[in-house]
Amino acid sequence: LGPPTSLAADPSGTIVAVVGGRTFTGGTGGFSPLSHPGWETDRYRVTGAEPSPLGLVVAAQERESGRRGIFLWEEDGVREITPRGDSLSIVRSWASEDGWVWLNSESGLRKLGVEGWRVVVGPSSGSYLIPALWENKAGRAFAFIRMPVEERGVVSWDETSSLTRAPKEGENNVVSGAVTSEGQTVVVYESEEVRVLQDGFWTSPGIPSDRVSGIHFVYEDSFGDLWFASSRGLHLFRKSLRRWSALQFPFPDSRNRVNDILALPDEGDFWLATDGGLVQHSSAGGVETISRIGGEELGAVTGLARDSTGGLWLSSGAAFEGAFRWASGRWERFGAAEG
C-alpha cells in the first residue's frame, strides 16, 4: 500500500492513518480499515484525514472524475463541506491545537469551526500555496505563504488580533518552526538560519551553525524546552533552565545593596548581609528579613560567618558595635562588655 500520506490522532489517542487512498485506525496493537455509514470506499481515494469535534474531516478525490472534496464523517452519515467555489487543486490540512482543522486550498487558508469555514488568509487573484503552519494552544499561529509571489512571506495572528505580515521574513523557504507556549514564533529557513518573533520584533538568536544544519523539525516539550531534529542529530535548547535569576526587592529598598553572602549547603538556605539588615532565603522559597535584634536596629550588616558548631555570626562596620551570634534558637550579643 505504500507509506502513510496522512497521520493524525483523535482525542482518545487513537491513530488515524491514510495509506493507499484508504483510511485506517489503530495503534500499538495494529491497524484496521476504517469504514463509515454512507462512505463509498470504491468511489473516493482519500488523501487526508483530521479528527475534529464535529467528526472526522476527510479530503478525498473521486476516482473517475478526479473531482476533489472535503467531507465530514458525522455520527449518522457523511456530509460534503467543500468550501464554495473551490476546486481544491491545492489541498493541505493540519490539526488545530484546539481540536479543529486548518485547510489550505488555492483560494487561501481557512479554519473549520462550529459555524463552518472561516477565512484567515485570502482570497487573491493567484492560487495560494501555504506549505507550513504552526500554532500553540492559546491560538497564536504563523504560516509561510510561498505563493502567490506578491504575498510571499511569513504571516502571524491569534484569535483576537488581525493578520500581521512579515514579507522580508519569507524571502527564503521555511522548512520548520514552532509557536511556543509563551507566544514566541521560531522559524527555521532552508538557508539554515533561525529567526525568532517576540513582542512584534524579529531577532536572530545566534545559534551556532553546526547546531542548525539540516533542521527539519522543531518541537516544544511540556517544560517549554525546544527540540531541534536535524540531519546531524537531535539538539535541545533548554529555555526552562535558569542558570541565573534576579532576587530583588521593589525599588527603592536598602536590602538590594548586598554586602556579604553566606550559603548553607546542608540546609539549602543562604543568608544576605544587606544595608537593610539580614535576609534569609530558605530552600523552600521563603524570604525573611531580620532588621532588629533585641530591640536594636541592625541597619547595614556587612559581615557573615558560620562557626564549627553551626552558629551564625553577623557584624557591621559602622551600624552597631561588636557582633551577634544565632545558635540554639536565640541571638546572643558579643561586644566590649562581653570581652
Side-chain angles (χ1 to χ4, degrees), residues 94-256:
W94 299 269
S96 171
E97 285 288 349
D98 58 8
W100 294 98
V101 176
W102 292 99
L103 174 69
N104 166 217
S105 65
E106 74 270 17
S107 62
L109 179 68
R110 295 176 171 87
K111 185 177 183 181
L112 178 64
V114 175
E115 298 179 355
W117 295 105
R118 174 172 64 91
V119 177
V120 178
V121 176
S124 165
S125 57
S127 295
Y128 278 93
L129 176 59
I130 303 176
L133 182 149
W134 291 272
E135 66 176 330
N136 64 10
K137 294 185 183 301
R140 180 71 180 173
F142 87 92
F144 169 54
I145 301 175
R146 181 176 291 169
M147 294 187 65
V149 175
E150 63 270 18
E151 294 195 37
R152 181 185 177 95
V154 172
V155 294
S156 58
W157 69 92
D158 60 32
E159 295 296 327
T160 60
S161 64
S162 58
L163 205 68
T164 301
R165 298 181 181 271
K168 292 186 177 180
E169 292 296 329
E171 294 177 350
N172 207 319
N173 286 335
V174 174
V175 295
S176 189
V179 181
T180 71
S181 55
E182 298 174 345
Q184 295 174 318
T185 297
V186 181
V187 182
V188 180
Y189 291 99
E190 199 172 55
S191 59
E192 299 187 345
E193 297 171 284
V194 178
R195 297 280 284 167
V196 176
L197 170 64
Q198 184 173 19
D199 299 328
F201 296 94
W202 287 92
T203 60
S204 298
I207 302 175
S209 58
D210 63 324
R211 301 293 178 89
V212 299
S213 177
I215 288 178
H216 53 267
F217 188 74
V218 181
Y219 172 75
E220 183 188 35
D221 63 23
S222 59
F223 298 103
D225 298 328
L226 290 174
W227 293 85
F228 294 85
S230 75
S231 57
R232 297 191 177 188
L234 189 62
H235 305 280
L236 173 63
F237 175 57
R238 297 190 63 184
K239 291 196 305 171
S240 62
L241 181 63
R242 298 289 186 264
R243 295 185 181 276
W244 293 97
S245 58
L247 301 175
Q248 194 171 31
F249 294 96
F251 179 86
D253 196 309
S254 58
R255 291 172 296 177
N256 290 328

Side-chain angles (χ1 to χ4, degrees), residues 6 8 16 18 23 46-60 69-74 79 81 93-94 99-103 112 117:
S6 173
V16 179
V18 175
T23 308
V46 177
T47 58
E50 301 286 352
S52 81
L54 297 178
L56 191 67
V57 178
V58 174
I70 306 295
F71 302 86
L72 180 63
W73 289 14
E74 299 174 305
R79 176 164 57 97
I81 57 171
S93 61
W94 299 269
W100 294 98
V101 176
W102 292 99
L103 174 69
L112 178 64
W117 295 105

Side-chain angles (χ1 to χ4, degrees), residues 241-321:
L241 181 63
R242 298 289 186 264
R243 295 185 181 276
W244 293 97
S245 58
L247 301 175
Q248 194 171 31
F249 294 96
F251 179 86
D253 196 309
S254 58
R255 291 172 296 177
N256 290 328
R257 295 189 291 274
V258 180
N259 304 308
D260 198 4
I261 302 175
L262 177 66
L264 309 180
D266 294 339
E267 294 88 341
D269 301 351
F270 64 94
W271 297 76
L272 305 178
T274 78
D275 279 7
L278 183 65
V279 178
Q280 178 195 19
H281 288 264
S282 71
S283 58
V287 179
E288 181 183 357
T289 299
I290 300 173
S291 58
R292 305 178 70 89
I293 296 178
E296 183 174 352
E297 186 77 25
L298 291 180
V301 178
T302 57
L304 290 172
R306 195 180 194 187
D307 60 31
S308 58
T309 64
L312 175 68
W313 293 77
L314 62 126
S315 62
S316 174
F320 56 85
E321 293 184 353

